[in-house]
Amino acid sequence: MFADIVVVGGGASGMAAAIGAKEAAPGAEVVIAERLDRVGKKILATGNGRCNLGNLDVSPAHYHGSFRKMSSIISEHPAGDIFRSLGVLCAADEQGRMYPRSNAAATVLSALRMKLAEVGVKEICGFELCTYLRKGDKYELSSYDGQKISCRKLIIAAGGYAAPQYGTDGSIVRLLREKGYKIEKICPAVAPLRVTSESVKGLKGVRVKGIVQAYSGDKLLSAEEGEIQFTENSLSGICVFNMARYFQEYEGSLEIRLDLAPDMTYDELKEYVREQCTKRADYELNDLLTGAFAKNLAVYLVKNTIGRPMTDRIETITDKEVEKLCRSIKDLRFAVTGSSPWKNAQVTAGGVHKSCVGDDLSSLLEKGVYLCGEILDMDGDCGGFNLQWAWASGFTAGRNCGASLKGADR
Ligand SMILES: Cc1cc2nc3c(=O)[nH]c(=O)nc-3n(C[C@H](O)[C@H](O)[C@H](O)COP(=O)(O)OP(=O)(O)OC[C@H]3O[C@@H](n4cnc5c(N)ncnc54)[C@H](O)[C@@H]3O)c2cc1C
């Protein structure tokens, strides 16, 4: 089979690239080659099924990686405008996170697929790219099961390593490395962080609001306020997700510190705990903090800080122990032992380095190849920033690729 342009990967950036390519070259044959049985499967899982498709904030502050300097293409393609043109009404919450007004990711996917059909993009599913070779002025693509497609231009939109259950296992990143592309160190981003199960024993299922800080030694890397969730061996929640990418750089020294009483000063907290020591004097240590925290967390804090039988009476607690307890409520520390498995990660940090790609998102190593989306070394914070990059980089790569076709092929 032959097509003018083949887009490898039918995810968010691949669909945007195919639409962009057709807009720039309406006469060209544009094909999406997707390994799974349907395009856009990951989109349906985004935002807990609601698809947080963008954010009103388009500033570079929410992006990381060597493509950060290219975040201007996001302000040129705001998600709200893209989806309005596809007939999808969006609404933003107080943090600027944009969702389809229907609150259903299926709305987003069906609008994209309607547009693909309208402009005449073909979807070929069940084509898992194994490799591609330059033959004359064309590329020949081969799938693992022996299918072949040749094309004039190639757009690589095959994603990263995160969430392999949706088709992204990093195989194309490895292929590009073999072809000589510089690949920035890969690591899960927007993901839970692993800690020892001993350090969170008894906290599984607990959710608490607080301030989360990431440290390496004495260096504060980042701080965010929000809800922290505990599992049997990890810390989770949006504010933790946003710190996962630091594991790439600070493996071995990364520490998460929690302030579980951000609304109180240390002295106010101490006053409160002392008051409880008097009011609840006849009760067990187990009950000391249950007026401030969920039972499991209240018991965990006292047990891990004071280290005495929890059946001891509250009146036995010393001033020093109260101070120690308040210090740990304001500064509870967890050494990070690992990042989460890829199946629990939402995004890949790292990928194809900017030094291999021009500002038009064409490859500087292979003529006629364009790249977009998560395969590139750019990851955003949680909050719609990653899909925003996928749509914007996809449209940019697609339009530039379409425009690069010679007159007769367009
Ligand atoms: C559970 C979950 C929730 C998320 N929620 C949000 C959210 O609400 N907001 C947000 O901004 N971001 C969210 N993200 C992140 C966001 O979905 C991704 O950053 C975005 O989809 C990346 O787009 P992409 O097109 O680069 O890659 P993908 O969407 O991953 O698409 C890549 C496509 O390439 C295909 N492919 C891979 N290898 C091959 C091959 N060899 N041959 C052919 N095809 C191949 C894959 O099957 C896939 O369809 C979420 C991610 C997950 C996993």
Side-chain angles (χ1 to χ4, degrees), residues 21 98 101 167 229 273 325 376 403:
M98 295 168 69
R101 249 193 21 198
Q229 296 165 25
V273 176
L325 186 55
L376 299 173

Side-chain angles (χ1 to χ4, degrees), residues 65 73 98 104 111 123 143 181 314 322 356 362 371 397:
I73 63 174
M98 295 168 69
E123 295 174 10
S143 73
Y181 286 81
I314 288 177
V322 168
C356 302
S362 67
L371 300 105

Side-chain angles (χ1 to χ4, degrees), residues 9 12-13 34-35 42 47 52 127 129 167-168 346 374 384 386-387:
S13 69
E34 164 59 47
R35 73 190 290 191
K42 191 183 281 180
N52 176 196
F127 185 98
L129 181 72
T168 37
Q346 295 193 0
E374 201 175 305
N386 288 291
L387 279 174

Side-chain angles (χ1 to χ4, degrees), residues 98-401:
M98 295 168 69
Y99 295 88
R101 249 193 21 198
S102 65
N103 264 331
T107 302
V108 173
L109 180 55
S110 62
L112 287 162
R113 292 198 65 211
M114 279 179 197
K115 183 71 180 180
L116 291 171
E118 180 195 315
V119 296
V121 171
K122 280 200 186 118
E123 295 174 10
I124 300 180
C125 292
F127 185 98
E128 183 176 0
L129 181 72
C130 169
T131 194
Y132 60 89
L133 291 170
R134 179 105 181 143
K135 291 205 167 157
D137 61 350
K138 298 188 181 62
Y139 283 98
E140 188 174 273
L141 279 57
S142 312
S143 73
Y144 282 97
D145 61 1
Q147 302 173 66
K148 303 247 184 246
I149 311 178
S150 63
C151 58
R152 271 186 246 284
K153 308 271 175 184
L154 177 59
I155 302 178
I156 300 178
Y161 285 71
Q165 62 275 30
Y166 301 113
T168 37
D169 62 0
S171 56
I172 302 299
V173 178
R174 289 190 289 277
L175 176 65
L176 295 179
R177 182 182 277 127
E178 281 165 23
K179 286 179 177 286
Y181 286 81
K182 179 180 171 189
I183 306 295
E184 194 57 41
K185 193 175 168 193
I186 299 284
C187 150
V190 187
L193 279 168
R194 287 246 195 176
V195 294
T196 61
S197 41
E198 199 48 41
S199 69
V200 286
K201 201 169 170 191
L203 290 180
K204 187 178 168 189
V206 168
R207 290 162 178 254
V208 60
K209 291 227 165 82
I211 293 179
V212 182
Q213 295 178 311
Y215 271 89
S216 169
D218 287 336
K219 184 176 170 191
L220 173 65
L221 306 171
S222 164
E224 238 180 84
E225 190 158 0
E227 187 180 77
I228 303 125
Q229 296 165 25
F230 295 88
T231 75
E232 63 194 347
N233 59 4
S234 67
L235 305 181
S236 188
I238 290 175
C239 41
V240 176
F241 282 3
N242 285 339
M243 292 170 186
R245 66 177 328 284
Y246 291 113
F247 189 73
Q248 179 194 42
E249 205 174 328
Y250 299 100
E251 185 172 353
S253 69
L254 186 63
E255 188 177 63
I256 295 292
R257 302 184 186 176
L258 308 180
D259 177 351
L260 300 178
D263 50 341
M264 291 170 118
T265 64
Y266 173 80
D267 288 337
E268 285 166 350
L269 181 65
K270 205 162 79 181
E271 196 187 319
Y272 167 77
V273 176
R274 278 202 179 125
E275 203 179 284
Q276 299 314 298
C277 291
T278 314
K279 286 189 178 156
R280 299 186 174 195
D282 289 340
Y283 288 85
E284 294 179 352
L285 287 178
N286 266 322
D287 293 309
L288 177 60
L289 293 178
T290 50
F293 299 106
K295 176 86 180 178
N296 286 2
L297 180 56
V299 172
Y300 171 95
L301 287 165
V302 180
K303 196 169 165 188
N304 283 274
T305 314
I306 297 181
R308 286 209 269 135
M310 294 300 282
T311 46
D312 285 0
R313 278 160 39 111
I314 288 177
E315 68 177 0
T316 63
I317 200 165
T318 65
D319 241 21
K320 277 224 157 76
E321 285 173 327
V322 168
E323 281 171 13
K324 208 170 156 200
L325 186 55
C326 293
R327 275 201 300 277
S328 64
I329 294 170
K330 294 293 287 174
D331 187 15
L332 189 62
R333 299 182 181 197
F334 296 92
V336 175
T337 55
S339 48
S340 72
W342 283 114
K343 70 176 171 40
N344 296 340
Q346 295 193 0
V347 179
T348 313
V352 176
H353 195 268
K354 175 69 180 75
S355 57
C356 302
V357 180
D359 288 353
D360 61 350
L361 298 185
S362 67
S363 163
L364 299 177
L365 276 64
E366 301 176 287
K367 200 166 181 285
V369 173
Y370 290 75
L371 300 105
C372 55
E374 201 175 305
I375 201 163
L376 299 173
D377 175 29
M378 172 88 142
D379 58 288
D381 292 340
C382 198
F385 299 101
N386 288 291
L387 279 174
Q388 195 153 268
W389 168 246
W391 317 124
S393 62
F395 272 109
T396 304
R399 283 195 185 136
N400 291 329
C401 178

